[in-house]
Amino acid sequence: MPSNDKTKSQIKSRQRVAQHGEVFTNPREVNAMLDLVRDESFRLDSRFLEPACGDGNFLIEILRRKLSLLSSVKSLTEWEFKSLIAVGSCYGIELLEDNAEACRERLYREVIDTYSCSLHTPSPLRGTPPNLGGEPSYLKSLKYMLQKNIVCGDALTYRTADGKPITFCEWTPIAGSMQFARRDFQFDFLVNQTHQYSLFDEQGEAQSFDEPVKSYPPVHYTQLFTQTE
């Protein structure tokens, strides 16, 4: 996790290197590359996709930069909402399921640790706020968002591990409402779409722009996990 990142090995085993070409990037190189797009990496809603994310070496550093922008936020609800804007802008595709799950867990723990430090309050993992019952809804939404954004699949074939088309959620925060609107897009469409400069095709028929697979009505950030699709 965060404290171990600097000493982490670049390989898990020679067998995995031979079978999958799995070699992890060191934090020094990760940050040097992110500094090339420094302004974007420190923008809360700037979207990043790592098509071979491993267990999250790039995504964890991107998330840290984004969460650092919340250091002056004092309101609990504002911090939670903005942290989900940060998480919702980080996407990853990973061929190996154990790496994908490790990536989700690293990002989740990073949010929880930063949550505790920023607000000087016990981590929500150590206690449930009153009147919520069970696991806090914010944590359920956080886990759900990570499950949707970090996909086990092959970026070259645009397919998940079980052969389905990779689909990503576009999480759009609605200012002043603490709500998110969600639209789902297939990854192959996002990669292969061409820019359209006219509302009509050569036959005069109306063209479609960025059509989502599915759209959802806005919901409060604590209720994202209720969108079960």
Side-chain angles (χ1 to χ4, degrees), residues 73-215:
V73 174
K74 303 303 179 185
S75 163
L76 175 65
T77 55
E78 182 183 359
W79 197 99
E80 290 180 347
F81 179 62
K82 288 185 174 180
S83 72
L84 290 180
I85 297 176
V87 171
S89 68
C90 296
Y91 299 87
I93 302 173
E94 170 53 32
L95 192 62
L96 303 177
E97 179 57 45
D98 62 336
N99 280 341
E101 185 56 39
C103 180
R104 297 183 196 108
E105 180 64 18
R106 285 180 77 188
L107 299 182
Y108 178 78
R109 292 286 174 176
E110 187 67 29
V111 173
I112 296 307
D113 290 345
T114 309
Y115 176 106
S116 181
C117 293
S118 297
L119 297 171
H120 305 290
T121 186
S123 164
L125 290 176
R126 302 191 188 102
T128 302
N131 303 322
L132 285 179
E135 186 178 43
S137 296
Y138 162 67
L139 295 187
K140 291 182 181 180
S141 290
L142 173 59
K143 288 180 178 179
Y144 182 74
M145 185 177 276
L146 288 169
Q147 190 67 37
K148 290 294 186 181
N149 280 26
I150 309 302
V151 177
C152 182
D154 189 336
L156 298 179
T157 64
Y158 313 128
R159 298 279 170 174
T160 63
D162 57 2
K164 297 178 181 178
I166 292 174
T167 301
F168 281 122
C169 303
E170 176 192 68
W171 311 95
T172 302
I174 301 175
S177 69
M178 295 293 179
Q179 292 182 318
F180 283 90
R182 171 185 162 189
R183 296 192 302 169
D184 293 356
F185 293 89
Q186 283 191 195
F187 179 53
D188 57 351
F189 169 80
L190 297 175
V191 172
N192 295 319
Q193 66 173 318
T194 56
H195 293 290
Q196 299 174 355
Y197 298 100
S198 172
L199 291 175
F200 302 93
D201 61 21
E202 294 178 354
Q203 285 73 44
E205 298 294 328
Q207 295 196 75
S208 60
F209 290 80
D210 289 7
E211 290 188 355
V213 176
K214 188 170 184 178
S215 298

